[in-house]
Amino acid sequence: MSSSPATIIGMKVHCNACEKEFPIGKKQQVMLREDQPIPCKGCKVELVISAEEKQRFLGFDNPAKPMMLAMMISGLLAVSVFGGTFLGLVQSDGLVLAAVVVMIGSNLVLGPMIRNATKHLMVNLDPKDAPAAAPAAP
């Protein structure tokens, strides 16, 4: 089980008040780890995480991290080639075309891979003032 405070790429939450799903960033992930409420992006209600969901959340890893690194390297390569072309350092149209193909191709390949790898990274959040579930009758 990982309790690392690192941002989990592709993390999403499900609001049990309005049934919307939305991604959360580093700030909201830190707030959930510290048991602070976060606002729903749909209904604006404050949402809290239950103990069971928090255990699931703390157990998530970062499956998209290696893919994001590949996407960043591809983007850096493209920016370098385009910047070199703009500054007149790169005179080859073929190199610019190759950079465009690599950048677009990597986004087309890695985008769906990242979405599939992070599909399961979702926790259910309840409204802050929701009544606690009644214990089952014997």
Side-chain angles (χ1 to χ4, degrees), residues 62-78:
N62 244 336
K65 197 169 195 170
M67 292 175 256
M68 291 298 293
L69 181 61
M71 194 171 271
M72 285 187 266
I73 291 170
S74 167
L76 184 61
L77 169 73

Side-chain angles (χ1 to χ4, degrees), residues 11-18 20-50 57 123-129:
M11 180 72 200
K12 297 173 283 301
V13 298
H14 176 263
C15 174
N16 287 336
C18 68
K20 280 199 174 210
E21 296 174 1
F22 57 93
I24 59 172
K26 182 176 183 174
K27 182 180 174 185
Q28 289 88 7
Q29 289 180 31
V30 169
M31 291 172 72
L32 287 179
R33 281 189 188 93
E34 296 173 354
D35 292 323
Q36 295 177 358
I38 64 169
C40 174
K41 291 186 179 178
C43 63
K44 307 296 184 213
V45 119
E46 286 193 337
L47 302 171
V48 293
I49 191 166
S50 67
F57 172 56
V123 291
N124 293 307
L125 301 181
D126 297 314
K128 185 177 181 180
D129 299 325

Side-chain angles (χ1 to χ4, degrees), residues 103-123:
M103 186 179 73
I104 292 173
S106 65
N107 282 322
L108 289 174
V109 170
L110 291 172
M113 288 174 63
I114 290 171
R115 281 190 293 279
N116 288 336
T118 60
K119 200 180 292 184
H120 72 283
L121 299 176
M122 185 177 310
V123 291

Side-chain angles (χ1 to χ4, degrees), residues 52-92:
E52 299 86 25
E53 289 294 306
K54 185 171 183 181
Q55 287 304 314
R56 280 188 57 239
F57 172 56
L58 293 176
F60 289 155
D61 60 351
N62 244 336
K65 197 169 195 170
M67 292 175 256
M68 291 298 293
L69 181 61
M71 194 171 271
M72 285 187 266
I73 291 170
S74 167
L76 184 61
L77 169 73
V79 166
S80 299
V81 170
F82 295 140
T85 302
F86 182 72
L87 295 174
L89 302 173
V90 176
Q91 303 283 325
S92 171

